[in-house]
Amino acid sequence: MKERYIDLMERTLAAYADEQIVAYFERVKRDGLTEHGFPRMAANIGILISHGRRTDLMPLFLKMMDFCCLEIPRVKAANDFSVREIVCALMEIEAAGVVPQKRLEGWKRSIASIDPYTCYDKYAKSKTDKVFNWALFTTVSEYARHHYGLCNADDFVDVQIPTQLQWLDENGMYRDALYHPPIIYDLVPRGLFSLLLHFGYDGPYRAEIDEMLRKTELLTLKMQSVTGEVPFGGRSNQFLHNEAMQLIVLEYAADRYQREGNFKLAGKFKAAAERALDCIERWLDRTPVHHVKNRFPLESRFGCEVYAYFDKYMITLASNLYNAYILCNDDVVPGEIDLSPMVYQTSEYFNKVFLRAGGYSLEFDTDADPHYDASGLGRVHKADVPSALCMSLPCPAMPKFVVGEHPVAMSLSPGIFSDNYWQFATDAYIGRYELLDMGEGESSAHVSLLCRFFNGKEVKTDYTVDENGVTIKATSSDKLAHMLPAFAFDGEVYTDIKASEQQLEIRYQGFVCRYTTSGKIIDLEEVGYNRNGHYRGFAAIGNKEIEIKIELEKE
């Protein structure tokens, strides 16, 4: 499996034509080092060369590395990220002996000269400072230098760590914002803590970090989709590097439990890692390769925040794959994929409920950030079915990433008829969700939600999932509806959508999503956008009670 990581790193780099890399270098030489994308590129090329790959890039790599090692100690340019990347490359280069020792020693002297208090952008000055995840990147970068023998980082690191532990919720998940913390920025810090322990941190906070990791690693298994994907929620979601960050957590856990003799649990984590790798590989198999999960032209930047451009975020996949590679223990034998019925509710900070049964997985957000998501059932996945076919994440009302014009919030959410139009519970200003009940059966999982709308009306909705699909039963004292988003366009291909009075079918890539209802299906004549593409709005409507069945299957 370690070789597979290197293979996928090489395929990631292949997304950049050689002339693109040269042009990137020319821009950086002209404009200066301004962010961490370029050092990340240099480091990954060096790692691949150390493994006998892309040796044709050696002349260019030497110049890139000269530039990075010269500039990083004297220019603040997101070095919080870059230093760890460069140190990892140096370790691989030295172990492989692929660069003349004199040049290597010059690079090491330069990185050893770093003053953390002038090199890094974000760090805590005291143990009670309020700083978020950048300071943890800084911590791991500095401890990577320590691990490599280029400094003594003990004092610096032991100031940083307590400022990061303060953001953990009762489950050990990392809250990278006071409100609506993004789910990826829970995963990122936990991956960084894993790397910190891998690099040998054994200071006063080691036991606390280890306890947190053991607890949250099990949650990672619960939250992973049956397609191998990380949960939706907040910024930086739906990029290929998300699953690679998840791999860091999974590989660290698999290795630890293997060393402790818990081979069954180690095998569960290794199986989850294989599933995440399969997900990444499916996207790398498509050409041209994209860094975000859609097929829109790269120049459109559809689905991307302003900071999430290709040059930086495509190579981030390779970086995260490398971090998983160094944690990977090939002695671990993958176990069976755990598809047993499961229900999990996060803390109130993350507002998520996860269901899994019968090869399906569901994810609810009961209080979504309208800039990234919408409240309601936002994900229905089935193993081996294209993730976006039903829905992989909701469509936000006020997206902070690039989409089409006039976005409308969409999720699989209940609605009421008010003021002569249908209003759906896609955000807290319209309706608030209360979890009434959840549970697991022998072959199914279920959750019951009550949605209270601002005008006092209520809709109770029961969701059950098993091998036959998802069954939704909604009840109210008046007219009611349930939104049914229909995937329409992935940026390259239009789906085939057919609607009748009681059935809605969406066909895509040889698969079909089928909504069947006891009510009546109407076309809302609205379009929503998420990072995967365009969705047309439909709804099932009825009087006091409706039932909906969702099935995903191969045609």
Side-chain angles (χ1 to χ4, degrees), residues 389-452:
L389 178 56
C390 180
M391 199 164 225
S392 203
L393 72 163
C395 302
M398 298 176 283
K400 284 190 174 181
F401 49 87
V402 176
V403 295
E405 296 181 353
H406 311 299
V408 173
M410 288 187 182
S411 67
L412 290 143
S413 52
I416 57 168
F417 197 71
S418 179
D419 297 327
N420 294 315
Y421 70 98
W422 290 102
Q423 297 181 355
F424 294 92
T426 53
D427 65 62
Y429 298 106
I430 298 171
R432 291 187 175 273
Y433 290 87
E434 176 186 348
L435 179 62
L436 299 179
D437 182 47
M438 63 181 188
E440 304 159 3
E442 287 187 9
S443 59
S444 65
H446 76 272
V447 63
S448 297
L449 297 170
L450 179 67
C451 187
R452 293 187 174 90

Side-chain angles (χ1 to χ4, degrees), residues 35-194:
E35 46 80 32
H36 52 288
F38 183 75
R40 184 169 283 168
M41 174 76 75
N44 279 281
I45 292 172
I47 291 165
L48 286 170
I49 289 172
S50 299
H51 286 262
R53 315 289 183 94
R54 296 310 307 268
T55 54
D56 57 300
L57 291 175
M58 176 65 90
L60 179 61
F61 163 70
L62 293 174
K63 295 175 184 177
M64 293 171 71
M65 198 70 165
D66 285 344
F67 182 87
C68 289
C69 291
L70 177 66
E71 293 296 306
I72 284 174
R74 65 185 190 185
V75 177
K76 281 193 175 185
N79 298 329
D80 317 65
F81 304 80
S82 303
V83 170
R84 171 179 53 85
E85 310 255 8
I86 294 296
V87 168
C88 286
L90 290 172
M91 289 191 289
E92 291 282 351
I93 289 163
E94 184 164 26
V98 294
V99 169
Q101 191 65 27
K102 184 177 180 180
R103 198 164 197 161
L104 175 65
E105 290 300 326
W107 292 342
K108 290 173 66 174
R109 282 194 302 272
S110 184
I111 299 303
S113 73
I114 286 173
D115 175 2
Y117 302 101
T118 59
C119 178
Y120 299 120
D121 288 282
K122 299 285 190 296
Y123 60 87
K125 297 178 177 63
S126 75
K127 295 180 179 181
T128 57
D129 279 0
K130 303 294 184 184
V131 288
F132 284 106
N133 78 82
W134 270 49
L136 188 51
F137 277 100
T138 299
T139 300
V140 178
S141 275
E142 195 61 4
Y143 211 79
R145 286 205 311 141
H146 177 106
H147 173 72
Y148 193 35
L150 301 181
C151 72
N152 186 322
D154 287 335
D155 291 342
F156 179 85
V157 166
D158 284 338
V159 170
Q160 308 306 310
I161 293 176
T163 71
Q164 300 305 292
L165 295 174
Q166 70 180 315
W167 300 122
L168 304 182
D169 71 3
E170 59 263 38
N171 297 320
M173 293 176 66
Y174 187 100
R175 298 177 292 120
D176 195 56
L178 298 179
Y179 304 101
H180 299 117
I183 204 81
I184 294 303
Y185 291 89
D186 156 58
L187 198 58
V188 167
R190 294 195 284 114
L192 292 172
F193 276 124
S194 299

Side-chain angles (χ1 to χ4, degrees), residues 319-537:
S319 291
N320 289 347
L321 287 168
Y322 173 73
N323 290 327
Y325 161 85
I326 63 175
L327 297 172
C328 174
N329 180 347
D330 272 343
D331 290 336
V332 181
V333 178
E336 294 292 324
I337 293 290
D338 187 359
L339 295 177
S340 60
M342 179 280 305
V343 181
Y344 169 62
Q345 181 185 18
T346 67
S347 74
E348 62 180 355
Y349 298 106
F350 291 92
N351 302 297
K352 296 296 184 70
V353 180
F354 297 87
L355 274 72
R356 181 186 67 218
Y360 286 83
S361 56
L362 280 58
E363 180 182 345
F364 297 80
D365 194 325
T366 58
D367 184 17
D369 182 342
H371 296 295
Y372 295 98
D373 302 294
S375 297
L377 174 55
R379 170 172 289 180
V380 178
H381 280 177
K382 186 180 182 182
D384 302 320
V385 174
S387 298
L389 178 56
C390 180
M391 199 164 225
S392 203
L393 72 163
C395 302
M398 298 176 283
K400 284 190 174 181
F401 49 87
V402 176
V403 295
E405 296 181 353
H406 311 299
V408 173
M410 288 187 182
S411 67
L412 290 143
S413 52
I416 57 168
F417 197 71
S418 179
D419 297 327
N420 294 315
Y421 70 98
W422 290 102
Q423 297 181 355
F424 294 92
T426 53
D427 65 62
Y429 298 106
I430 298 171
R432 291 187 175 273
Y433 290 87
E434 176 186 348
L435 179 62
L436 299 179
D437 182 47
M438 63 181 188
E440 304 159 3
E442 287 187 9
S443 59
S444 65
H446 76 272
V447 63
S448 297
L449 297 170
L450 179 67
C451 187
R452 293 187 174 90
F453 289 80
F454 72 99
N455 59 4
K457 291 186 177 182
E458 297 180 349
V459 178
K460 179 178 179 289
T461 315
D462 299 305
Y463 300 85
T464 302
V465 58
D466 58 25
E467 64 181 2
N468 297 312
V470 182
T471 301
I472 304 170
K473 294 181 179 179
T475 57
S476 182
S477 60
D478 203 346
K479 292 180 181 179
L480 76 162
H482 201 284
M483 185 181 283
L484 307 175
F487 187 41
F489 184 51
D490 68 0
E492 185 177 82
V493 175
Y494 287 93
T495 66
D496 178 21
I497 299 174
K498 287 186 170 60
S500 61
E501 186 166 294
Q502 292 188 302
Q503 195 167 84
L504 173 65
E505 292 187 329
I506 306 99
R507 287 178 166 79
Y508 177 67
Q509 293 184 359
F511 293 86
V512 61
C513 171
R514 182 177 300 109
Y515 297 108
T516 306
T517 179
S518 62
K520 178 183 177 181
I521 289 176
I522 61 170
D523 188 340
L524 299 172
E525 299 183 349
E526 295 176 333
V527 178
Y529 311 94
N530 63 19
R531 298 178 193 264
N532 303 140
H534 300 182
Y535 285 76
R536 287 176 54 191

